[in-house]
Amino acid sequence: MNLFTPKECAANYAAAGRAKTQMPIPKMFLLAVLAGFFIAMGGAVTNTAAHSIDNVGIARMVCGLLFPFGLAMVVLTSAELFTGNTLITISVLDGQTTVMGILRNWAVVYLGNAAGAMLVAAGCAFGGQLNYSGGQLAVFTMKLAAGKCALPVGGAIILGILCNVLVTAGVLLSLSAKDLTGRVMGAYLPVAFFVICGFEHCIANLYYIPAGLFAKTIPAYAALAAESGVDLTALTWENFLLRNLLPVTIGNIIGGTAMGGLYWYCYRRGEA
């Protein structure tokens, strides 16, 4: 067979999660920056491709077709992504690492992902990438970011849970394959689902919202938003951190650890 069985995949990830928690911090951080960069590039690509599409369904389909390649690059380069690493709960439950080990990994990787994603956001905003369509890409970016900042906290948590169940499913499906095509397609389909549905991913939002916040500081972009009637009142750093990033991160942790726990219970309990 060209696939690992779910039982084999769970065993493989239990060992891989142990290795992740034992990785030297400088290496862990740099691989996390790389993963943040890849996910942010997925965000930059989807915004660019969809900003002039009026039909919401078509726009979501375009985003769903493009964004998943970010996770595929993360998986194929063995970069460190916080949302995927919620699966290290498999290793904890398996007795191959500790709670302190997973918390250390999450903290370092989250910071690295944030650095990589926000560097891309700053580069796009201040480097002129948002100038497409006479600056309408910048307006679209700010409008999207403002909408994310206005989400109800409870809704953000739920959308974060749904998102990371799919992301971690994509990671597990990708690691079930033994060839390049299978690994890419395994990562691709679940992530396409979450993007099309508009679920919330904390690392992607570390591109989407800072890109809007940075664009808002540029007078020409802010003036275009005002001319277009876009309300940027909700687009603040406080709303970003407290109304979106924090609840979405909590939701992502719940969804990812639940998937990890389910996988361990079904395929590894009694095997360790």
Side-chain angles (χ1 to χ4, degrees):
M1 289 182 63
N2 204 32
L3 292 171
F4 293 108
T5 66
K7 187 174 182 179
E8 290 171 332
C9 185
N12 291 343
Y13 195 91
R18 180 186 69 240
K20 286 176 177 288
T21 61
Q22 295 174 350
M23 189 183 301
I25 287 180
K27 179 180 178 180
M28 188 188 299
F29 181 78
L30 290 173
L31 288 175
V33 172
L34 182 64
F37 175 87
F38 286 147
I39 296 300
M41 280 298 174
V45 166
T46 56
N47 276 4
T48 303
H51 79 276
S52 61
I53 301 175
D54 293 329
N55 185 291
V56 175
I58 294 174
R60 299 314 304 168
M61 285 291 293
V62 169
C63 293
L65 288 171
L66 295 173
F67 185 90
F69 288 109
L71 180 63
M73 289 189 287
V74 169
V75 170
L76 294 176
T77 59
S78 295
E80 292 289 305
L81 181 64
F82 171 78
T83 47
N85 284 6
T86 55
L87 283 173
I88 299 176
T89 49
I90 295 174
S91 308
V92 174
L93 293 170
D94 216 51
Q96 298 202 39
T97 191
T98 64
V99 171
M100 287 305 298
I102 193 175
L103 293 177
R104 169 181 173 269
N105 177 274
W106 285 356
V108 174
V109 170
Y110 197 98
L111 291 174
N113 289 168
M118 291 182 72
L119 281 172
V120 175
C124 289
F126 298 119
Q129 193 271 336
L130 302 183
N131 287 338
Y132 271 95
S133 305
Q136 289 305 307
L137 174 55
V139 174
F140 177 88
T141 300
M142 289 183 284
K143 182 179 180 180
L144 177 67
K148 287 179 175 290
C149 286
L151 283 174
V153 170
I157 292 174
I158 293 170
L159 294 176
I161 292 171
L162 294 172
C163 168
N164 216 29
V165 169
L166 289 169
V167 170
T168 50
V171 171
L172 290 168
L173 288 174
S174 176
L175 296 179
S176 297
K178 297 181 180 180
D179 60 15
L180 177 63
T181 302
R183 296 194 72 188
V184 170
M185 290 307 296
Y188 188 94
L189 293 174
V191 175
F193 285 4
F194 107 65
V195 174
I196 292 169
C197 289
F199 298 149
E200 292 289 310
H201 187 274
C202 62
I203 306 306
N205 285 354
L206 280 161
Y207 168 78
Y208 285 124
I209 302 177
L213 286 162
F214 293 145
K216 185 181 176 182
T217 68
I218 298 173
Y221 293 157
L224 280 173
E227 291 172 12
S228 302
V230 176
D231 183 4
L232 300 180
T233 305
L235 185 54
T236 66
W237 286 99
E238 181 180 2
N239 283 344
F240 164 46
L241 296 172
L242 299 181
R243 292 181 60 90
N244 185 279
L245 190 62
L246 179 59
V248 169
T249 300
I250 291 170
N252 289 166
I253 290 172
I254 294 170
T257 55
M259 176 62 87
L262 182 150
Y263 227 71
W264 177 86
Y265 183 86
C266 292
Y267 299 116
R268 286 294 293 170
R269 187 170 68 99
E271 300 290 332

